Amino acid sequence: MTLQQLRYVVGVATAGSITAASQRLFIAQPSLSKAISELESEMGIAIFERSSKGVVPTEDGTRFLSYARQVVEQADLLEAQYKHGTPPRRVFGVSSQHYAFVVNAFAELVREHGESRYEFSLREGTTFGTIEDVRLQRSELGVLYRNDFNREVLTSAIRDAELRFEPLFEAREHVFVSRTNPLASCDSVTLEDLAPYPRLSYDQGSRNSFYFAEEPHITEQVDKAVVVTDRATLFNLLIGLDGYTISSGILSVDLNGENIVAVPLKDGGTMELGYIHQPRRPLSPMAERYLEHLSTYVAKYIASGYGKR
């Protein structure tokens, strides 16, 4: 086993196909395939499942890649420190359901390292996609929520992926509406109050499930429903359609402007926000720092009067 072979398998896992990886790694596809096959033979495992659509790590491959990435990262640090005399490039990734506070903390982290060499990634997507990103180490952290409705299923899915959920804070359920919506001036609203308005929710893709939905009370029957894939579209439709969505209530004026308000949901429950990670792999200093930014942002928002309308 060589360091170059480890770089190859990490590159293939990141690219999702041998063809794409060969272009990024500047190696002929047959040579790359041979190097991976030789490594699999030496280790006695199949690292990837191959198909016409690309490759995905096997269960053994996922475990192998977790160690391979650590070796490659340490080798990169050594080379950067001693071979070239330049500071190492910092690498960090986080995946999440659609929360403004996740983006705010990420922006703070990027600003903090503005003069450094870095490769940071932020992926907003589906609940299942967030779990998969962390399982396959596309991201070191994933931010999700649990509540009484989805807790058992989501906890099982996280456990099956050999990940761990770490609670960050609890948030009271709020309704996001446009500032011009008649409900915006209410001290609180009920699900019945929301009935005349379109409900906006995020698409969960092929793994769609009520238990994987980002919005509490998704099983409630409504006459008007709109499903979107990104946060910008959802907030635009909150204004354009006078729609609503149910979430944590934590907004960002920087990202969402001042046209969206959060109104407490009367008799609503709580959302337990937290992050998932691989418990066998200690959090990197970059991940620890990101979590500090995340906690600081949320604490400031709560102290400013969040949830006290």
Side-chain angles (χ1 to χ4, degrees):
M1 180 175 60
T2 66
L3 178 60
Q4 190 61 62
Q5 286 176 312
L6 297 182
R7 293 189 188 279
Y8 286 161
V9 295
V10 170
V12 170
T14 301
S17 77
I18 293 178
T19 300
S22 67
Q23 295 171 352
R24 295 183 185 182
L25 296 169
F26 302 104
I27 179 177
Q29 184 175 335
S31 298
L32 180 58
S33 296
K34 180 181 178 182
I36 293 174
S37 296
E38 289 176 348
L39 181 60
E40 289 178 319
S41 177
E42 180 182 352
M43 295 295 102
I45 61 171
I47 299 175
F48 298 108
E49 291 181 359
R50 298 160 173 82
S51 72
S52 59
K53 296 181 179 179
V55 298
V56 294
T58 63
E59 184 175 343
D60 286 334
T62 298
R63 293 192 181 92
F64 182 84
L65 281 162
S66 68
Y67 292 107
R69 286 189 174 94
Q70 293 181 57
V71 173
V72 170
E73 288 170 5
Q74 291 299 316
D76 288 343
L77 288 172
L78 284 171
E79 288 186 2
Q81 188 69 34
Y82 297 105
K83 185 176 180 180
H84 304 295
T86 57
R89 182 178 64 174
R90 301 176 184 274
V91 179
F92 172 69
V94 59
S95 294
S96 175
Q97 294 172 325
H98 300 78
Y99 300 118
F101 59 85
V102 169
V103 181
N104 281 97
F106 186 82
E108 286 296 324
L109 184 72
V110 173
R111 280 194 286 265
E112 187 174 83
H113 293 85
E115 300 301 322
S116 304
R117 299 174 64 243
Y118 59 78
E119 181 181 332
F120 293 160
S121 59
L122 171 62
R123 301 178 178 90
E124 282 191 333
T126 66
T127 302
F128 180 79
T130 297
I131 295 173
E132 280 292 279
D133 281 349
V134 181
R135 184 180 77 86
L136 298 176
Q137 293 196 28
R138 297 189 188 102
S139 294
E140 186 173 355
L141 302 176
V143 181
L144 303 168
Y145 95 94
R146 302 189 304 191
N147 65 1
D148 291 341
F149 173 72
N150 71 8
R151 186 179 309 277
E152 184 175 346
V153 171
L154 202 60
T155 299
S156 177
I158 293 169
R159 183 174 58 248
D160 289 345
E162 298 185 339
L163 306 177
R164 180 179 296 164
F165 181 92
E166 306 285 358
L168 285 169
F169 65 95
E170 289 192 350
R172 180 182 174 188
E173 292 174 357
H174 281 66
V175 177
F176 288 168
V177 293
S178 165
R179 190 172 293 278
T180 60
N181 188 299
L183 300 178
S185 60
C186 297
D187 291 331
S188 64
V189 297
T190 66
L191 292 176
E192 290 73 21
D193 294 329
L194 299 171
Y197 304 96
R199 180 181 69 192
L200 304 178
S201 61
Y202 289 109
D203 178 44
Q204 293 298 319
S206 60
R207 297 299 185 114
N208 186 41
S209 163
F210 286 139
Y211 296 106
F212 277 15
E214 295 186 39
E215 304 80 19
H217 308 285
I218 196 65
T219 57
E220 294 288 335
Q221 294 296 314
V222 296
D223 293 330
K224 306 171 184 178
V226 178
V227 179
V228 301
T229 57
D230 65 275
R231 185 157 44 85
T233 299
L234 185 140
F235 277 89
N236 286 336
L237 293 179
L238 286 181
I239 299 171
L241 297 180
D242 243 355
Y244 73 91
T245 193
I246 301 176
S247 190
S248 67
I250 301 179
L251 285 166
S252 169
V253 173
D254 294 338
L255 296 174
N256 308 127
E258 298 181 350
N259 294 321
I260 305 297
V261 298
V263 182
L265 181 64
K266 188 175 183 180
D267 299 325
T270 58
M271 301 172 64
E272 181 186 37
L273 279 298
Y275 66 93
I276 56 175
H277 67 106
Q278 292 197 0
R280 297 190 304 274
R281 185 180 186 186
L283 292 181
S284 68
M286 197 65 64
E288 295 279 9
R289 185 59 179 151
Y290 174 77
L291 291 173
E292 289 176 8
H293 282 301
L294 195 63
S295 298
T296 299
Y297 179 81
V298 172
K300 287 181 178 178
Y301 198 93
I302 293 175
S304 69
Y306 155 75
K308 297 180 181 179
R309 293 190 51 148

